[in-house]
Amino acid sequence: MGSPQRSSPCLSWRRVLCIFFLPFISSGFAPRVKHRDSFVFENDQLKPDQRSFNWSHLTPLKLKDRSVGLQTEERAGRNPYFTLEGHEFLIFGGSIHYFRVPRVYWRDRLLKLRACGFNTVTTYVPWNLHEPERGRFDFSGNLDLEAFVLLAAEVGLWVILRPGPYICSEMDLGGLPSRLLQDPASQLRTTNHSFVEAINKYFDHLIARVVPLQYRKGGPVIAVQVENEYGSFYKDKAYMPYLHQALLRRGIVELLLTADNADAVARGHIKGVLATINIKTFNEDSLKHLYKVQSNKPILIMEYWVGWFDTWGNEHMVRNAEVTPLPLLPEPTPKTVYPSVDPSLYLPLWDALQYLNRPVISNIPLNMENLPINNGNGQSYGLVLYETTICSGGRLHADARDMAQVFLNETSLGILADGFQNIDIPKITECQLLRILAENQGRVSFSWKIQNQQKGLIGPVTLNNIPLQSFTIYSLELKMSFFERLRSVSWKPVPTHSLGPAFYLGTLKAGSSPRDTFLRLPGWDYGFVFINGRNLGRYWNIGPQETLYLPGAWLQPENNEIIVFEKKKRGPYIHTTDNPRCRFKKLNHSQFVHPMLLLLSVKCGIKALMAPKWRRNI
């Protein structure tokens, strides 16, 4: 598509009228980076003229008379631009995911976003959390979407909502419920009948909640995104138009947009919907694909990537920023150090099986999603223990996802994982109990691989090429109810030498006024930490993450129960620190990151509140 002469594809501040994802400091907020030659506004002609914009009256609480929401405009002699209620409007936005931040900290995080000069917050809406079982919806507590959106308005922020159904967000299966994998004929992110039927039922409930929050209804939602990065998937050209109409039919009247990686925008955009891009480098090349499909609209950068996710066993991913301090901000949430915890009691997994829900009896091994539990919704997270009896040794073969420990009775024989599907069983003289403990380490959140993310044992388990049968299958979802049952259990003193898998119990003494802290588990191998029944996340001695963020809001005054599920070898103590710790990679001068990435709690230690994997994902 050719561009009119007035819409030159030169990288211009006037063309870039919206930018998101906590990356941006304009010259009105902070001085330029020290590496001046790499900064986008080094050319004086490209600097934003702050005097041209006055948004003090364009805030959710002050703008009462509403008839025209966020629009795009174009006039002769200038580049296209955004307007809000007819006033020229420049959006500075950042992302805060309400479902990843303890609710009591929402206001703190939103105020920090506002204090840095941002006027808009974006957030995803995770389907898998809001509809954990078919027809059972949860918008309470930390999942109270409406409360978060209204709080954003209260502190002076507009909202751009990204309701999916697929959101990526470095979340398990991109935020899609894992039960959608039960039917092998279902095709995710297409107009496949069973997938569309599930979307329609979810949207019927979700969008009814969103409609009253829209700008023209008096709310702060000025735009809504259709799906997410579909151009990188693009399996069904009818899918995005279908979702577009699904939102319109249910009452979405505000500006609609799509978001794609720059090189995929041609496949992901929809006719009549504003196309936006996600980029990691701010230059002309990153915009050329957008110009081809949309030359008469203002440029909107929906995500500007200033960091990257970590993967276990690699170094912590960071980009360097050398900037002078930002404007005065609200005080950081106070952190503290508590006395070390000595988990002096333990419970081997084999002793804890009786406190799990009733096991599934099956002639063949069933993958996690197809277990007949949770009202037919299967199991989404955690581990599964498969037990069967064998009466001879030999070559055991199984496809375990993502990692499985193999035991003969209580003796560990080895690990099954990607590329390692065989284990030799020693010769035995009488029948023994074969146990396979499979762990879901998180489903891929991006790419076509989402279609094949079933977890647990996939397919038959064979011994000397003969399929094994008669399995007893225990679901270890490790939910709050399980830990409540463990409180009535007689725990054992920890022996001098103890190996997992086992639960270890200790007490963290938080005093009368609990504060945020970070847990460290030096000497421990691999497992999960639970505080008062809440899952803090995974630890693994291969790094890079070396701490787990513990919100003070999740602590009780004085004594708090800590349970560690260690799969291999326990350490001596659990320590706390007032700073997160990661293994850092060596920086080079071409890398940079905006300090707001740290300000809004996207620290290495915060990842405990996120999904267990990132794109391949931890």
Side-chain angles (χ1 to χ4, degrees):
M1 181 184 295
S3 299
Q5 289 184 355
R6 58 179 172 76
S7 299
S8 167
C10 293
L11 184 60
S12 165
W13 168 256
R14 291 296 187 182
R15 286 301 310 270
V16 181
L17 288 179
C18 191
I19 187 164
F20 285 100
F21 210 60
L22 311 183
F24 192 79
I25 307 177
S26 83
S27 60
F29 299 137
R32 280 178 276 172
V33 244
K34 291 181 178 178
H35 299 291
R36 297 168 62 90
D37 56 345
S38 66
F39 194 61
V40 69
F41 298 132
E42 185 58 31
N43 185 331
D44 286 341
Q45 294 180 347
L46 302 183
K47 292 181 185 178
D49 181 1
Q50 297 296 314
R51 294 171 298 177
S52 301
F53 300 96
N54 180 359
W55 308 301
S56 59
H57 62 298
L58 298 179
T59 64
L61 295 181
K62 291 186 178 181
L63 196 56
K64 299 296 185 182
D65 297 326
R66 304 182 181 188
S67 59
V68 182
L70 186 66
Q71 306 248 334
T72 64
E73 299 283 349
E74 53 180 327
R75 294 179 185 173
R78 61 170 300 179
N79 285 311
Y81 56 94
F82 286 105
T83 63
L84 185 63
E85 203 57 41
H87 303 280
E88 189 166 344
F89 191 55
L90 179 62
I91 305 174
F92 287 99
S95 292
I96 299 177
H97 301 159
Y98 60 96
F99 48 93
R100 284 173 165 150
V101 179
R103 180 169 179 162
V104 295
Y105 294 157
W106 284 353
R107 180 181 294 274
D108 172 79
R109 305 308 195 252
L110 290 168
L111 285 172
K112 287 172 178 173
L113 188 72
R114 188 82 171 92
C116 284
F118 294 106
N119 59 17
T120 303
V121 62
T122 75
T123 189
Y124 288 117
V125 181
W127 182 4
N128 55 351
L129 300 185
H130 284 300
E131 192 184 7
E133 296 180 6
R134 291 182 183 88
R136 182 171 73 84
F137 298 96
D138 186 357
F139 285 82
S140 63
N142 229 81
L143 297 176
D144 194 336
L145 170 64
E146 293 108 314
F148 177 80
V149 170
L150 294 174
L151 181 60
E154 185 180 322
V155 303
L157 293 167
W158 298 108
V159 176
I160 292 184
L161 206 61
R162 311 174 79 181
Y166 168 86
I167 62 173
C168 184
S169 189
E170 284 63 61
M171 198 172 200
D172 190 273
L173 207 62
L176 299 176
S178 62
R179 62 177 175 272
L180 299 175
L181 297 171
Q182 290 177 336
D183 180 5
S186 178
Q187 295 293 311
L188 306 184
R189 303 181 74 189
T190 70
T191 51
N192 169 270
H193 174 73
S194 62
F195 184 63
V196 164
E197 184 180 36
I199 291 174
N200 285 334
K201 292 177 180 178
Y202 171 57
F203 268 15
D204 285 345
H205 188 96
L206 170 65
I207 304 305
R209 292 175 176 271
V210 172
V211 166
L213 302 173
Q214 295 181 98
Y215 174 87
R216 276 173 264 190
K217 301 286 187 180
V221 175
I222 57 175
V224 175
Q225 183 174 305
V226 184
E227 233 255 4
N228 191 55
E229 299 178 328
Y230 194 70
S232 300
F233 190 81
Y234 199 65
K235 285 259 184 175
D236 183 349
K237 66 180 181 180
Y239 174 66
M240 289 292 281
Y242 181 88
L243 290 181
H244 177 205
Q245 293 302 315
L247 293 171
L248 294 177
R249 287 197 307 270
R250 289 170 173 84
I252 296 300
V253 297
E254 304 304 336
L255 181 73
L256 289 171
L257 54 92
T258 59
D260 284 286
N261 296 343
D263 60 355
V265 67
R267 296 186 298 273
H269 83 289
I270 311 169
K271 184 178 180 180
V273 174
L274 182 71
T276 78
I277 57 172
N278 304 331
I279 60 175
K280 63 180 179 180
T281 304
F282 197 51
N283 56 47
E284 291 185 22
D285 287 342
S286 62
L287 303 178
K288 63 183 180 182
H289 298 287
L290 181 61
Y291 282 116
K292 290 180 180 179
V293 301
Q294 181 177 276
S295 61
N296 62 341
K297 300 291 183 183
I299 296 171
L300 189 158
I301 299 172
M302 197 62 196
E303 297 180 14
Y304 184 37
W305 302 319
V306 295
W308 208 240
F309 44 80
D310 287 351
T311 54
W312 289 110
N314 292 314
E315 294 176 314
H316 179 49
M317 298 290 291
V318 295
R319 296 182 180 183
N320 192 24
E322 298 183 31
V323 296
T324 56
L326 291 166
L328 291 176
L329 304 175
E331 287 296 320
T333 307
K335 310 295 188 296
T336 193
V337 176
Y338 296 112
S340 296
V341 177
D342 177 13
S344 58
L345 299 174
Y346 93 122
L347 189 68
L349 173 62
W350 324 121
D351 294 352
L353 296 180
Q354 59 185 307
Y355 304 106
L356 297 170
N357 292 330
R358 180 179 300 176
V360 173
I361 307 301
S362 174
N363 196 44
I364 60 174
L366 300 173
N367 60 283
M368 179 179 286
E369 295 77 11
N370 285 98
L371 289 176
I373 61 175
N374 294 324
N375 299 314
N377 290 274
Q379 180 178 338
S380 294
Y381 309 105
L383 304 94
V384 180
L385 176 66
Y386 300 84
E387 292 185 346
T388 190
T389 300
I390 60 174
C391 299
S392 66
R395 174 60 62 91
L396 179 75
H397 175 85
D399 182 2
R401 303 180 188 172
D402 294 293
M403 178 193 296
Q405 296 168 278
V406 179
F407 302 88
L408 195 59
N409 296 321
E410 298 179 10
T411 302
S412 176
L413 298 181
I415 299 291
L416 296 169
D418 291 344
F420 298 93
Q421 299 181 338
N422 300 307
I423 284 182
D424 290 326
I425 307 295
K427 183 178 179 180
I428 55 178
T429 57
E430 57 184 22
C431 295
Q432 309 273 340
L433 189 62
L434 176 70
R435 287 166 156 159
I436 303 176
L437 179 63
E439 179 195 347
N440 170 9
Q441 294 182 313
R443 298 177 182 86
V444 166
S445 67
F446 191 76
S447 85
W448 298 343
K449 293 181 180 179
I450 64 171
Q451 190 64 48
N452 302 301
Q453 290 299 300
Q454 293 83 0
K455 302 297 180 179
L457 292 182
I458 310 301
V461 176
T462 63
L463 183 60
N464 298 325
N465 297 319
I466 300 173
L468 298 178
Q469 298 179 335
S470 301
F471 286 86
T472 300
I473 307 173
Y474 293 89
S475 168
L476 283 83
E477 295 180 285
L478 305 181
K479 293 181 177 178
M480 184 85 71
S481 57
F482 169 68
F483 291 102
E484 290 172 352
R485 289 195 291 272
L486 289 188
R487 289 177 187 139
S488 61
V489 174
S490 296
W491 292 67
K492 303 176 181 179
V494 176
T496 304
H497 301 287
S498 62
L499 297 175
F503 297 91
Y504 295 87
L505 175 63
T507 301
L508 184 143
K509 299 183 181 298
S512 59
S513 300
R515 294 183 175 183
D516 289 7
T517 191
F518 299 88
L519 298 187
R520 293 182 58 238
L521 292 94
W524 297 73
D525 193 277
Y526 181 111
F528 310 88
V529 181
F530 302 83
I531 183 80
N532 299 324
R534 290 180 181 266
N535 187 348
L536 290 190
R538 176 187 287 109
Y539 64 89
W540 197 350
N541 62 6
I542 65 174
Q545 180 176 319
E546 296 182 352
T547 53
L548 290 169
Y549 172 55
L550 172 52
W554 289 4
L555 292 172
Q556 304 165 356
E558 306 305 338
N559 293 341
N560 292 268
E561 172 193 83
I562 285 189
I563 294 180
V564 178
F565 180 61
E566 168 60 56
K567 293 179 65 176
K568 296 180 181 178
K569 178 174 173 280
R570 73 179 291 269
Y573 293 97
I574 302 169
H575 300 286
T576 62
T577 176
D578 54 4
N579 283 294
R581 297 189 184 184
C582 291
R583 266 175 230 166
F584 286 87
K585 66 181 292 186
K586 187 175 181 180
L587 299 173
N588 61 59
H589 290 298
S590 65
Q591 296 175 309
F592 65 94
V593 65
H594 191 298
M596 273 295 294
L597 191 66
L598 298 181
L599 175 67
L600 292 176
S601 299
V602 189
K603 296 184 178 182
C604 61
I606 300 295
K607 289 177 180 173
L609 298 180
M610 297 185 172
K613 279 194 175 184
W614 287 260
R615 298 228 173 165
R616 161 59 190 133
N617 303 356
I618 293 175

